[in-house]
Structure formats: structure tokens, C-alpha cells
């Protein structure tokens, strides 16, 4: 079990270690991929050239940014979900074969996957289908024999998969203390209609051992939940334990469009859903989505999940990921959005003690806001951006991570405003480029440019082990009003990389003159005079 120390204590320790301010610094980096040249309007000082970069001042007002507007969360509540449930038309539960069922083709379409259920059911596989209207799971007790059995008051074991069909609604509410999905018999939960889980507990269950189906190996079947395109899932004030394994669409808790082949055939709209106030423990992925819009993941706890806590993926848009606590992820990151997850909001989350980074934007995920998060004690970076430009990182506290506080790779137009990066073992802010051509990356699917450009405005970089800030080969770098506190080296605060070569000029402008500074390549100046 992970303790959760007050963040104020960690913050105080970082700042005490930092000591008194060495000086207040003013650095920001130009957020667009082509920096304005020094002799254009807005530049107020002559160029100073050394090496391959120039240092010049720019007008401070060009870097002004009002606090970003956050989405209103007041409508995303348990009460709002309760009002959505239509119980007017009663439905029914029937047993049918799994094969030739559209919502299950992902799992029965190949002989290898179908064999999993043949082995566990010891028959041609069947599932429980909810059809025709509204069904409350507790009302099914005794109607389906051993397929869905109440084993003690309020505790149910499902020994077949449960499928919510199009046009149907399944509610699992407080009358169900716990729904146990039998790992032994191959149970899982698929939603192709409307699913409401409220004030309950759903557990992947090892019947032989009488305990949750705790993670043991990636490819061992464990029950899972997936809500498909055209469907709606609302998971509220509930607990989900030990879901998912390393098989397509069976990752744990998923809200996903159908896979491309099925999607072109079925033409279902994108899936909808809210995940509110719930707890997710020991899942392969605590949350996964694929080609989903406008999902809300608010106020949940993701504890000790295996690969990721929260993982929105492929072409999902306008997501709200807010007020979650994510910790103890065993293999990778706490929160990651990857492959064109755009126009989304990640704010007021706590993400700590994860095996790699706390928050990651990955693979061309653009136009996102990462704000007011507390990101600390992660075993790699605090906040990491890989090949994802045009993002705003605003007023986060990034403390005591084992590598860099904020790391930006191959990403342009990254704005870092009012962040605190303190007590990280390497750099407070690290920007760099990397050629990924010789990796296993699919360049057509995930293209990249070896370019980086930053604006760093306001905030504090304090007591980081390798220094406050380093940016390698930037397309442009703008700096303004960053407080740099408490060098960990006896020589005082020093820059490395491009900034180190220009340290004297930069500090003169930033510290003594309190000006905004632009550092950009000499080549960009030469381009102007062709």
C-alpha cells in the first residue's frame, strides 16, 4: 500500500533544500515553430551572436497569457447520471451462443480467441444477453441458474459473459454489493447499449481460490469490461478490481469504437461515457479509450494498476481527465494520452509513485491543456511530452521525480507557464530532439520531426539535481520571469547546452534587466536576408 504524504510537506522539503533564491530569472520560449527574427517588431535589443545562436530581447507583452479557462465540472455528478436512467420499458435476459454476435466478434472471430471460451465453458460458448429494455442485475437472481448465481446476500457470480444489446439498459446498483465475473468460466462484460454501474463493486474473480483474479502474467485471461461505439457507459461511485490482460479490446476498463474493420461495416457513432468517483485496482489498464469523444473521467482513484492508470488512445478528442488520484502503476505511466488525442483537458489530478512518468502526452497529441496537477515521486519524469506539439503546460507542481521534472522531446510550440519544478533528480525542464528512425516505431503511423521549441514563463525551478533548465538544439526558446532557486551545485546555478554557451548574455538580460529573452538559431536570421 502506498502512503500519500501531504503534498505541502514534499513541496516544503523541496524548497527548503533549494535554499534562498539565487536570483529571479525571466525565461520563455517561442511557441511557434519559426521564431520571430531579432530585427522584427517586438525586439528591443541588438543581437548578441555566439556559436550558432543569437540572444535578443522581445516585448514582454507578447508572452502575456491569461489563466486558461477550464471546463465546468458541475454537471458531471452521480445525481446527473441517476436522472439518465430510463426504466419505463422492461427488458429481459436470455442465453445465446456467442458466435455470430456483432458485439462479440472481436473475441470470437478467430479460432485462437474463441478457444479461450470453449476451454473455460466446456461447450459451444454462450453469453447472457440483456435485450429489449431496462434490466436491474439484482432482479435476475434465480432466473439464469448457475450462469448468474447469488452466492450470499447481495453478492452475485456471473459464470458467462454478459452482453448489453443495442436498445437495452443494464443497471448494477447498490442492491448488488458485488458482481463477481468468473475468471475460471471466462466471464466478461460487453456494453452495446447503456450500462450504469452505481454504488456497487465489480470484481474479476478467481472462483477456485475465492479471491480477486490478481494479475500474474500478461497473457492470462482475466475478465474485462468494454463499452462499444454507439453505446453509453456510466461508472459511478463503484470499485473495479483485477480486470484485463494483454489482448485486443480486453485491456481492463475500455470505452472503445469498434476496430476499423467492424467500424466500417457497422457505422456506429463514437462511444460515450462518464467515469466518476470510482476506484480501480490491479487492472491491466485502469482506463482505456479508443476513438472516443467527450468522455469524462473525474474524481477517481487508480491504484496499483499494471501498465497504465489512465490511457486514452487513438484519435480521442475533447476528453476531461480531472481530479483523479493515480499512483502505484507497476509497469509504465500514471496518465498517458497517445496517438492524436487532441483538444483535451488534464487538470487537478494527483499522480505519484508510478513506475515511469506521472503524465505523458505522446505521438502527435496536440492542443491539450495540462494544468494544476500535482506530479511527484514518479520513478522517471514528472511530465513528459513525446512528439506532441502545440500544448500548454500550466501551473503544475512537479516535485521530487527521479529523472526530469518536465521533459519535452521532438515537440514544437510548447508553452510552460507558471509551473513549479522542484527537487527532481535531473533537470527541472529538459527539451531535446531525438532521431527515432532506427527504432521499432511505425513512421507512417507515428511521424515525427526532430524539432523542439519552448516558451517558459513564470513559475519556479528549484533545487533540481542537474540544474534548472537545458534545451538542446531548439528551433527557438523564449524565457521570462522564471525564478531559479537553490542551486544544488557549489558553483551556483549554471545552464547547459545552448543556454550554457549564452549564459552571460542570458543572465544579463533576464536577471539584471528583467527582460524577456529569445534564443534562436543564427540560420533563422540568415533566412530573412535571402
Amino acid at each position: 500500500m502506498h502512503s500519500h504524504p501531504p503534498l505541502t510537506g514534499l513541496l516544503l522539503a523541496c524548497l527548503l533544500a533549494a535554499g534562498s533564491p539565487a536570483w529571479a530569472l525571466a525565461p520563455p520560449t517561442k511557441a511557434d515553430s519559426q521564431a520571430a527574427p531579432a530585427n522584427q517588431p517586438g525586439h528591443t535589443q541588438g543581437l548578441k551572436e555566439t556559436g550558432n545562436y543569437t540572444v535578443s530581447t522581445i516585448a514582454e507583452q507578447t508572452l502575456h497569457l491569461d489563466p486558461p479557462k477550464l471546463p465546468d465540472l458541475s454537471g458531471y455528478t452521480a445525481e446527473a447520471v441517476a436522472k439518465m436512467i430510463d426504466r419505463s420499458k422492461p427488458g429481459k435476459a436470455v442465453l445465446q451462443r456467442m458466435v455470430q454476435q456483432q458485439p462479440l466478434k472481436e473475441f470470437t472471430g478467430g479460432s485462437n480467441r474463441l478457444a479461450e471460451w470453449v476451454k473455460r465453458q466446456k461447450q459451444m460458448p454462450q453469453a447472457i444477453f440483456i435485450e429489449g429494455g431496462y434490466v436491474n442485475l439484482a432482479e435476475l437472481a434465480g432466473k439464469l441458474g448457475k450462469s448468474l448465481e447469488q452466492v450470499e446476500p447481495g453478492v452475485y457470480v456471473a459464470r458467462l459473459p454478459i452482453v448489453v444489446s443495442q436498445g437495452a439498459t443494464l443497471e448494477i446498483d447498490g442492491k448488488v454489493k458485488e458482481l463477481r465475473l468468473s475468471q475460471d468460466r471466462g466471464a466478461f462484460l460487453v456494453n452495446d447499449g447503456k450500462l450504469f454501474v452505481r454504488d456497487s463493486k465489480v470484481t474479476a474473480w478467481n472462483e477456485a481460490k475465492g479471491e480477486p483474479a490478481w494479475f500474474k502474467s500478461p497473457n492470462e485471461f482475466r475478465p474485462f469490461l468494454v463499452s462499444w461505439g454507439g453505446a453509453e457507459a456510466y461508472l459511478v461511485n463503484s470499485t473495479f478490481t483485477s480486470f484485463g490482460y494483454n489482448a485486443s479490446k480486453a485491456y481492463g476498463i475500455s470505452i472503445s469504437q469498434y476496430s476499423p474493420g467492424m467500424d466500417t461495416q457497422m457505422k456506429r457513432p463514437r462511444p460515450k461515457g462518464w467515469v466518476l468517483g470510482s476506484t480501480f485496482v490491479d487492472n491491466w489498464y485502469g482506463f482505456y479509450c479508443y476513438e472516443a469523444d467527450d468522455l469524462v473521467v473525474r474524481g477517481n482513484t487508480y491504484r496499483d494498476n499494471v501498465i497504465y492508470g489512465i490511457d486514452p488512445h487513438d484519435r480521442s478528442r475533447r476528453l476531461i481527465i480531472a481530479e483523479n488520484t493515480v499512483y502505484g502503476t507497476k509497469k509504465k505511466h500514471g496518465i498517458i494520452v497517445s496517438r492524436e488525442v487532441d483538444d483535451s483537458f488534464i487538470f487537478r489530478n494527483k499522480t505519484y509513485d508510478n513506475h515511469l512518468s506521472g503524465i505523458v502526452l505522446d505521438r502527435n497529441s496536440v492542443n491539450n491543456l495540462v494544468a494544476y496537477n500535482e506530479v511527484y515521486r514518479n520513478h522517471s519524469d514528472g511530465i513528459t511530452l513525446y512528439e506532441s506539439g502545440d500544448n500548454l503546460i500550466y501551473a503544475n507542481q512537479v516535485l521530487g521525480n527521479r529523472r526530469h521534472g518536465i521533459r519535452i522531446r521532438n515537440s514544437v510550440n510548447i508553452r510552460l507557464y507558471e509551473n513549479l519544478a522542484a527537487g527532481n533528480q535531473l533537470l527541472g525542464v529538459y527539451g531535446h530532439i531525438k532521431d527515432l528512425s532506427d527504432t521499432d516505431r511505425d513512421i507512417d503511423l507515428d511521424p515525427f520531426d526532430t524539432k523542439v521549441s519552448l516558451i517558459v514563463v513564470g513559475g519556479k525551478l528549484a533545487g533540481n539535481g542537474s540544474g534548472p533548465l537545458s534545451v538542446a538544439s531548439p528551433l527557438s526558446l523564449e524565457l521570462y520571469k522564471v525564478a531559479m532557486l537553490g542551486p544544488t551545485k557549489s558553483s551556483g546555478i549554471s545552464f547547459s547546452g545552448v543556454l550554457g554557451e549564452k549564459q552571460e548574455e542570458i543572465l544579463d538580460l533576464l536577471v539584471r534587466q528583467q527582460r524577456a529573452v529569445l534564443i534562436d538559431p543564427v540560420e533563422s536570421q540568415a533566412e530573412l536576408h535571402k
Side-chain angles (χ1 to χ4, degrees):
M1 190 68 75
H2 296 254
S3 61
H4 181 193
L7 187 63
T8 51
L10 181 57
L11 172 56
L12 181 62
C14 287
L15 293 178
L16 285 174
S20 58
W23 22 273
L25 185 62
T29 290
K30 185 105 179 167
D32 46 45
S33 50
Q34 184 58 56
N39 61 352
Q40 293 292 84
H43 287 258
T44 58
Q45 178 122 338
L47 294 175
K48 295 187 179 183
E49 292 193 16
T50 55
N52 293 320
Y53 280 80
T54 62
V55 176
S56 57
T57 60
I58 52 177
E60 288 80 1
Q61 61 266 28
T62 64
L63 299 175
H64 175 76
L65 179 71
D66 290 328
K69 184 173 174 54
L70 300 174
D72 180 5
L73 300 181
S74 61
Y76 304 116
T77 64
E79 293 74 20
V81 170
K83 291 177 182 176
M84 296 179 186
I85 305 172
D86 180 0
R87 302 181 178 90
S88 61
K89 181 182 178 183
K92 60 183 180 179
V94 296
L95 298 182
Q96 296 178 11
R97 286 187 173 184
M98 288 173 60
V99 295
Q100 303 304 314
Q101 298 283 354
Q102 293 276 30
L104 298 179
K105 281 191 174 179
E106 185 76 39
F107 314 114
T108 62
S111 59
N112 289 343
R113 294 199 80 173
L114 184 60
E116 186 75 61
W117 285 278
V118 172
K119 177 181 71 176
R120 290 175 186 273
Q121 293 191 21
K122 299 180 173 58
Q123 63 182 11
M124 181 56 73
Q126 291 185 310
I128 301 166
F129 287 80
I130 309 299
E131 296 182 343
Y134 170 85
V135 170
N136 187 298
L137 188 118
E139 296 168 1
L140 297 178
K143 296 181 179 179
L144 296 166
K146 293 285 189 180
S147 299
L148 181 66
E149 184 180 13
Q150 186 172 205
V151 294
E152 56 187 82
V155 178
Y156 299 79
V157 175
R159 297 189 177 94
L160 294 179
I162 299 173
V163 181
V164 185
S165 301
Q166 288 186 41
T169 297
L170 175 64
E171 182 179 15
I172 302 168
D173 63 5
K175 292 190 286 291
V176 178
K177 291 181 183 177
E178 184 174 17
L179 171 61
R180 296 171 175 173
L181 300 175
S182 172
Q183 180 186 32
D184 315 52
R185 296 297 302 278
F188 55 85
L189 186 52
V190 165
N191 176 40
D192 209 32
K194 291 187 177 180
L195 172 66
F196 296 87
V197 182
R198 306 163 57 236
D199 306 304
S200 189
K201 179 186 289 188
V202 187
T203 306
W205 191 256
N206 185 317
E207 286 196 85
K209 293 185 177 180
E211 65 183 25
W214 301 116
F215 172 74
K216 294 183 176 59
S217 65
N219 298 317
E220 179 186 35
F221 169 84
R222 297 200 301 173
F224 55 88
L225 185 162
V226 61
S227 185
W228 286 128
E232 299 181 32
Y234 300 92
L235 313 180
V236 183
N237 296 338
S238 296
T239 299
F240 300 82
T241 304
S242 296
F243 280 64
Y245 65 116
N246 186 28
S248 177
K249 308 297 185 181
Y251 301 131
I253 311 298
S254 303
I255 298 179
S256 173
Q257 184 54 281
Y258 279 97
S259 56
M262 290 281 288
D263 185 27
T264 54
Q265 174 185 342
M266 299 182 71
K267 298 182 172 58
R268 300 292 301 278
R270 291 195 166 202
K272 297 180 179 179
W274 299 353
V275 183
L276 308 177
S278 294
T279 299
F280 300 83
V281 182
D282 186 51
N283 301 289
W284 181 248
Y285 293 0
F287 175 83
Y288 173 84
C289 70
Y290 171 90
E291 292 189 348
D293 296 343
D294 305 299
L295 301 182
V296 178
V297 181
R298 179 191 182 190
N300 306 287
T301 298
Y302 293 84
R303 170 168 62 82
D304 298 333
N305 294 291
V306 181
I307 304 298
Y308 302 115
I310 299 174
D311 178 29
H313 229 278
D314 297 67
R315 297 171 295 282
S316 296
R317 300 173 303 204
R318 299 185 304 275
L319 310 178
I320 294 174
I321 301 168
E323 300 176 350
N324 302 286
T325 299
V326 185
Y327 66 96
T329 305
K330 295 171 185 175
K331 301 290 186 183
K332 293 190 178 180
H333 313 296
I335 301 172
I336 176 173
V337 303
S338 182
R339 191 171 292 133
E340 299 176 47
V341 177
D342 302 340
D343 308 313
S344 296
F345 298 86
I346 302 172
F347 64 98
R348 297 199 192 110
N349 301 284
K350 292 181 180 178
T351 174
Y352 63 95
D353 286 348
N354 298 293
H355 186 67
L356 292 179
S357 296
I359 298 175
V360 180
L361 307 184
D362 182 43
R363 296 177 191 249
N364 300 295
S365 295
V366 304
N367 198 32
N368 298 294
L369 172 65
V370 179
Y372 306 108
N373 299 286
E374 299 174 2
V375 185
Y376 56 100
R377 276 204 330 245
N378 295 289
H379 299 178
S380 184
D381 307 317
I383 298 175
T384 309
L385 282 71
Y386 291 137
E387 293 75 54
S388 294
D390 300 298
N391 290 297
L392 173 59
I393 313 300
Y394 190 91
N396 300 281
Q397 296 185 2
V398 187
L399 308 173
N401 298 287
R402 290 192 188 173
R403 291 186 61 78
H404 307 291
I406 303 174
R407 177 184 172 196
I408 299 100
R409 184 182 79 188
N410 295 343
S411 304
V412 298
N413 193 19
I414 302 303
R415 294 174 294 162
L416 306 179
Y417 275 68
E418 305 300 339
N419 296 286
L420 168 65
N424 301 290
Q425 291 189 16
L426 297 179
L427 290 154
V429 174
Y430 176 44
H432 67 114
I433 60 174
K434 183 177 181 181
D435 186 352
L436 304 174
S437 303
D438 293 332
T439 67
D440 59 3
R441 187 185 189 92
D442 183 333
I443 302 301
D444 292 331
L445 186 61
D446 298 309
F448 69 95
D449 287 320
T450 50
K451 296 176 181 177
V452 63
S453 67
L454 308 182
I455 295 175
V456 188
V457 175
K460 293 181 174 65
L461 306 176
N464 297 291
S466 298
L469 178 65
S470 177
V471 183
S473 304
L475 206 58
S476 69
L477 174 60
E478 295 167 65
L479 307 173
Y480 185 51
K481 281 190 175 174
V482 183
M484 299 197 183
L485 310 176
T488 58
K489 299 174 182 175
S490 59
S491 57
I493 287 180
S494 60
F495 294 138
S496 58
V498 168
L499 282 74
E501 299 169 12
K502 315 296 181 201
Q503 181 160 321
E504 184 178 339
E505 298 98 311
I506 293 168
L507 295 185
D508 178 63
L509 295 173
L510 290 175
V511 181
R512 189 176 64 81
Q513 299 186 42
Q514 295 286 295
R515 306 301 300 274
V517 175
L518 167 67
I519 299 119
D520 65 350
V522 172
E523 289 82 351
S524 71
Q525 312 298 325
E527 289 291 320
L528 295 168
H529 304 295
K530 284 186 177 178

